[in-house]
Amino acid sequence: MESRSDVYASAGVDITAGYKSVELMKEHIAKTMTKGVCSDVGGFGGLFELDLEGMTKPILVSGTDGVGTKLKIAFLMDKHDTVGIDCVAMCVNDIICCGAKPLFFLDYIACGKNYPERIADIVKGVSEGCVQAGAALIGGETAEMPGFYPEDEYDLAGYSTGVVDKSKIIDNKTMKAGDVVIALPSSGVHSNGFSLVRKVFDVENRDMKAPLEALGGKSLGETLLTPTKIYVKPVLKLLENATVKGISHITGGGFYENIPRSIPEGFGAAIDKQAVKILPIFDMLAKEGGIEERDMFNTFNMGVGMSIVVDQDDADKAVELLNAEGEAAYIMGEIIKSDEKVVIK
């Protein structure tokens, strides 16, 4: 017998739409399955069997985050199949900073009205992000909340767990002056600073689909919706073949907030501004918003999604390894003795 509640439907919650959403998303979730998955979609909890072979002291590492007001751009563009990648990226890029391999992911979607095809599109993006990260999508929740969210809007958040051997956790104890800071390019604005982005570009009153020469013929909406890059696989490959002293995921707060999180007291990062490959969208933001350079570097990733610190003698090898994994990595600075955590010049 099919579960149905007319009285619940009269309050704005259609539980049959939820069942349809689950059916539509199953094909996407199936692509993320790894050998550790022990449960199917629809249970009360996601089960995952840990493979601890070769680990002496396994440490679980967890991360959680959302997509933020970038979702407003998805609403304006009526495009919902990429924000799930952002959701996964914001979690797994964080946990890789200590050397952990992501194992599984769970998502949470809250909406004013459950449109099954839209929910399936969102989960399609989540699944793609999981594939890119090598993580399994083992569970999630879709909450229909009429009266709390507008019918055409939703929020999206996620959670990931990874594992790392205690002896291989990345710390900064051996970091010293002269170590090299490597940049991994971002794909765009990623998923931070969108409250300012939306204000500067006045997105609700602008043609978001018109191609712009400044953006290489792409529209502003298309450029802003470019998914956050997931760095898990290339970084894991680097960790297998080189000694890494620190990793920072460049998110909200830009260079000034995030790079110092992987640097010990008494040291700072001297960044060569001329080396940073700033993307056109950031030049456009600075110009239209009248935003000073320091504020730009203190808010956005400026074209650098992740920074990695290695010994000077290992720098060329590290860049080569990363480039072989599809990253256009480059050296953008060095570690110095300093009370100032980030010096950009």
Side-chain angles (χ1 to χ4, degrees), residues 157-169:
Y159 161 89
S160 185
T161 290
V163 66
V164 61
D165 200 344
K166 190 172 184 178
S167 65
K168 295 182 179 179
I169 293 174

Side-chain angles (χ1 to χ4, degrees), residues 13 25 95 264:
V13 178
M25 67 177 71
I95 66 177

